[in-house]
Amino acid sequence: MATNYLSADEALLERMVRVVEKVRERLKRAAAALEAASIPYAVAGGNAVAAWVATVDESAIRNTQDVAILVRRADFDRVKAAPEAAGFVYRHAASIDMFLDGPAAKARDAVHILFANEKVRQEYSRPAPDVENPFMDKGARILPLESVIDIKCMSFRDKDRTHLRDLIDVGLVDVSWCAKLPPELAGRLQQLLDNPDG
């Protein structure tokens, strides 16, 4: 009985590890395809936060399901061709451009595309940043920290607040960042700094 229980636990642990590995592999494949086609891009979202957190404390990295990549709309025809050559399948659904990780994949198993210099959502006060001057991390171009903070403060959903807390916890974000943001976004960041659990 104990042996079966242990085997089930090991199988579950293996599945958990594999899920994390699949997200990282998806990110690496997409980044490699864009690099090979010389297309400017930057990794955004939770993976950008994880990369920045890793510069300070690898043990503080939070795993994420999302793979979000920022590109310029002018490059989008080339963007579509590059991931498709790496086995991704392009889909446009619910106003979102994405590359599914194979023909049978779900939207959760996709690379989501954001467009530089355009609003991610209509209600956002500012457009997403450009893809210039990315931070390089093991072959992937990561959105600069100031752009990550800007997008996370603009979106400010529960997961965005969690990502900002991660950056605060490792000391990458402090009160000095409030002066670098527009008042609306500075107020949101100050709210988290004043009450991280709120």
Side-chain angles (χ1 to χ4, degrees):
M1 185 75 158
T3 303
N4 289 341
Y5 182 71
L6 183 61
S7 296
D9 275 357
E10 288 174 351
L12 178 60
L13 183 59
E14 284 301 314
R15 281 197 348 229
M16 291 167 55
V17 169
R18 183 69 189 129
V19 166
V20 173
E21 288 174 350
K22 283 172 71 174
V23 173
R24 299 285 188 254
E25 288 169 6
R26 188 176 310 128
L27 173 59
K28 285 181 180 179
R29 282 178 34 234
L34 295 170
E35 287 284 349
S38 299
I39 298 170
Y41 75 93
V43 174
N47 281 295
V49 173
W52 279 104
V53 167
T55 65
V56 178
D57 183 356
E58 288 184 351
S59 67
I61 294 173
R62 184 181 306 274
N63 293 318
T64 181
Q65 181 74 27
D66 298 332
V67 176
I69 293 184
L70 190 70
V71 297
R72 294 179 181 134
R73 190 173 292 277
D75 295 326
F76 196 51
D77 286 341
R78 292 181 354 168
V79 167
K80 281 200 277 191
E84 285 180 342
F88 291 96
V89 178
Y90 173 69
R91 286 278 186 281
H92 180 84
S95 301
I96 298 171
D97 291 289
M98 66 182 85
F99 292 91
L100 301 177
D101 198 354
K106 300 174 187 171
R108 288 184 178 178
D109 302 322
V111 175
H112 295 255
I113 299 298
L114 306 174
F115 290 103
N117 306 306
E118 296 182 20
K119 289 184 179 181
V120 175
R121 295 182 183 210
Q122 200 55 42
E123 66 270 19
Y124 286 6
S125 60
R126 294 154 40 108
D130 199 7
V131 294
E132 292 178 339
N133 305 315
F135 165 71
M136 293 295 292
D137 180 55
K138 296 179 183 172
R141 298 170 189 269
I142 310 296
L143 207 56
L145 182 58
E146 55 269 23
S147 297
V148 172
I149 295 166
D150 190 86
I151 288 175
K152 291 296 174 183
C153 285
M154 201 169 349
S155 183
F156 216 58
R157 297 162 298 177
D158 186 51
K159 71 177 178 179
D160 300 301
R161 293 191 300 272
T162 297
H163 288 150
L164 286 165
R165 286 184 195 103
D166 290 347
L167 295 169
I168 292 167
D169 287 346
V170 297
L172 286 168
V173 174
D174 59 24
V175 70
S176 69
W177 281 94
C178 293
K180 303 172 189 175
L181 293 168
E184 173 197 354
L185 303 186
R188 291 177 175 180
L189 181 58
Q190 188 66 60
Q191 173 188 329
L192 277 182
L193 290 163
D194 291 344
N195 185 12
D197 298 325

